[in-house]
Amino acid sequence: MTVNDTPIGSRTHLDNDNANDKPSRPPHFLEQIIQGDIQSGKTPQIVTRFPPEPNGYLHIGHAKSICLNFGLAETFGGVCNLRFDDTNPAKEDQEYIDAIIRDVEWLGFRWQGDVRYASSYFQQLHDWAVDLIEQGKAYVCHLTADQAREYRGTLTEAGQNSPYRERTIEENLAEFTKMREGHYDEGTCVLRAKIDMASPNMNMRDPILYRIRKQTHHQTGDDWCIYPTYDFAHGQEDAIEGITHSICTLEFADHRPLYEWFVQHLPVPSEPTQYEFGRLNLNYTVTSKRKLKQLVDEQHVDGWDDPRLPTIAGLRRRGVRPEALRKFCDMIGVTKSDGVVDVAMLEHAIRDDLDKNAPRAMCVLNPLKVTLTNYPEDKTEVMHAQGHPNRDDLEERELPFSREIFIDADDFREEANKKYKRLVIGKRVRLRNAYVIEADECVKDEQGNIVEVKARVIEGTVGNNPEDGIKPKGVIQWVDGKQHATFDVALYDRLFTDESPDAGDKDFLSLINPSSLEKKTQCVGEIGLANAVVGTTYQFEREGYFCRDTRSEILTFNRTIGLRDTFVG
RNA sequence: UGGGGUGUAGCCAAGUGGUAAGGCAGCGGGUUUUGAUCCCGCCAUGCGGAGGUUCGAGUCCUCCCACCCCAGCCA
């Protein structure tokens, strides 16, 4: 006979209504500020934005920022823009834009209107630069980069005014035009704001507004050869879009006076306010874009979506669901202190989500044949298994059962102490969703390896305990010997053995965990797994959570994370 | 040594002058056909330190200490 081999867990709606069990949490400082701004009437509707530079893939730290910005808009009835801060064509690429859009969508957020680009405001930004020149508040400086550094002073000493600082407005206008028209080579001059070379805040020492980059831009092509700096662009972009709360990370706090200076001195259409929060630091992982790029470029990992990477794409390929990431971001909070979050917290969020939502299946990683000597050779019956132990909305599975089955080699021992709850010769074990069996003997090869176990089923124990009252101590998973799926499995572990591979001057490459990936072949699983759905993460009972890999040519499952294991002994 | 920021348990984090929430981790115990989940209990006489104000201080004041960020024509 054949059994129903429709893929298990194929329903598209796996979710319970997670919104209902969202625990209430005290509002964090940004929520308190916004609440006040709404109540006072200052910002009846808030507008936030997520402003990535397309120079790499998004990682879990960005997820925190995304959840914050989109989340704030969501909870306060506002909107959030997705804007690429693409002011540096030398480092950016369309590939990153596409990947970032995909990741934000996957996380489940929707932005207001179209995707925005800082580059679409280049003309306005240029005109405002001219405005500043006309106000006598900006000048073209021909100091070289090295000279400029010397003139800038140090943290404890004031800088010196540039010799070009007192050029006339007319001269500056003419020079800036020459810059824009390409008469100057890269690095020969810049446009600077005229603020205060003695400011204790380095950012106010005549910051650069425009620099020359004779590069083709991924959005604007060759329209421009001068590009605005972050400082000159960001606040004005926010003002153009009517952003009310411009949220960034702590390291930008001392840019705030400059952010405000531009908003004050330029005829911008709105006055956004910048707020800073502490970026996410996770132990045992790196989140610096430079290091992630190096891991990818030097092929220490299998691309930006390698399941061991903390990139959104990597977490997705690993089998983590967006709900888990959002839960994690909610758990860690938003403050101005820069702590290091324990990965155990991320792992908890992942397990918590998957436990509630992953359809169950049985899989045997290290197959060991078990022959049920008292079971007829030509008989096959169908066992029934729940899709999920606490949910009846997930499809029930039908499991063929016959004389020969596979169990995991780790689940059998010739002899063992009382703590071992699996199969032992002379003892009984429950086959999950099937019979209780008792082992009689095992067969070994010339090397002494156990290659087969001979056991007996105890009659009448499907759904019941043995009539003789001798109950098995444990339950193990199994797979039918005839009808099953065969596949490879990739067991992932943390990429770094060191708690802080990202710290200062460490040679992070030398801290890579040599066993962060263990590949297994010839694993067997219940027949439905042959048609496993990409994008669904299953729980392989007693083993952990697994999802079908998106890249492998042969059927392969990636281990998202193991089950919590509190077994001691 | 200039400026900006932060210090509450092993980790994250509430607390907004009235006597230290919650989560993670850990440790006990219960349920269980997943050594999972779930449930129950334990886990800061203490809030970076020292003074001070107050009937009362994690919250206010003073001084001190530690850590993070800033001297890119990166963001």
Side-chain angles (χ1 to χ4, degrees), chain A residues 515-534:
Chain A
S515 44
S516 62
L517 169 55
E518 183 190 347
K519 287 182 176 165
K520 284 191 166 294
T521 57
Q522 295 295 305
C523 301
V524 293
E526 60 183 73
I527 188 71
L529 253 15
N531 301 311
V533 181
V534 167

Side-chain angles (χ1 to χ4, degrees), chain A residues 250-321:
Chain A
L250 254 27
E251 66 269 30
F252 292 99
D254 30 319
H255 290 246
R256 195 184 338 121
L258 183 52
Y259 183 104
E260 289 165 351
W261 191 89
F262 289 126
V263 168
Q264 265 168 35
H265 295 281
L266 259 12
V268 292
S270 76
E271 291 192 14
T273 308
Q274 173 182 304
Y275 300 90
E276 310 87 21
F277 73 99
R279 64 148 28 98
L280 169 67
N281 300 300
L282 249 198
N283 61 14
Y284 294 102
T285 111
V286 302
T287 45
S288 110
K289 271 192 192 174
R290 197 209 101 223
K291 288 174 184 167
L292 289 172
K293 190 168 191 306
Q294 191 179 349
L295 287 168
V296 172
D297 289 347
E298 296 177 6
Q299 302 186 342
H300 296 104
V301 296
D302 179 31
W304 283 101
D305 65 348
D306 185 290
R308 292 164 294 184
L309 254 25
T311 50
I312 307 279
L315 291 162
R316 176 172 59 232
R317 185 173 164 203
R318 182 153 177 165
V320 173
R321 309 190 332 141

Side-chain angles (χ1 to χ4, degrees), chain A residues 532-546:
Chain A
V533 181
V534 167
T536 295
T537 301
Y538 302 87
Q539 184 196 92
F540 289 174
E541 290 188 294
R542 300 210 316 128
E543 290 292 353
Y545 299 96
F546 294 76

Side-chain angles (χ1 to χ4, degrees), chain A residues 185-228:
Chain A
D185 289 335
E186 286 190 19
T188 53
C189 57
V190 295
L191 181 72
R192 302 175 71 176
K194 191 188 288 188
I195 304 181
D196 178 10
M197 288 305 290
S199 172
N201 182 342
M202 300 294 286
N203 298 116
M204 302 301 272
R205 322 249 261 226
D206 289 11
I208 292 170
L209 273 34
Y210 266 95
R211 70 299 208 187
I212 298 166
R213 285 279 176 281
K214 298 197 170 171
Q215 301 234 2
T216 299
H217 187 282
H218 48 96
Q219 302 303 310
T220 58
D222 295 318
D223 291 352
W224 299 88
C225 65
I226 57 171
Y227 292 92

Side-chain angles (χ1 to χ4, degrees), chain A residues 23 25 119 123 157 166 249 267 338 368 426 455 459 479 527 562:
Chain A
R25 159 184 63 68
S119 52
Q123 186 61 50
E157 299 161 38
E166 300 307 328
T249 44
D338 66 324
L368 171 63
E459 298 291 345
V479 168
I527 188 71

Side-chain angles (χ1 to χ4, degrees), chain A residues 51-54 82-88 92 97 115-126 210 217-220 224 227-230 232-234 236-238 240-241:
Chain A
E53 185 191 13
L82 172 59
R83 179 178 77 230
F84 287 99
D85 209 2
D86 55 348
T87 56
N88 187 358
E92 301 158 6
I97 292 177
V115 170
R116 328 272 169 136
Y117 295 86
S119 52
S120 63
Y121 310 136
F122 280 171
Q123 186 61 50
Q124 175 66 268
L125 257 6
H126 166 271
Y210 266 95
H217 187 282
H218 48 96
Q219 302 303 310
T220 58
W224 299 88
Y227 292 92
T229 56
Y230 166 86
F232 186 63
H234 206 90
Q236 287 81 290
E237 295 163 13
D238 287 339
I240 290 169
E241 295 180 6

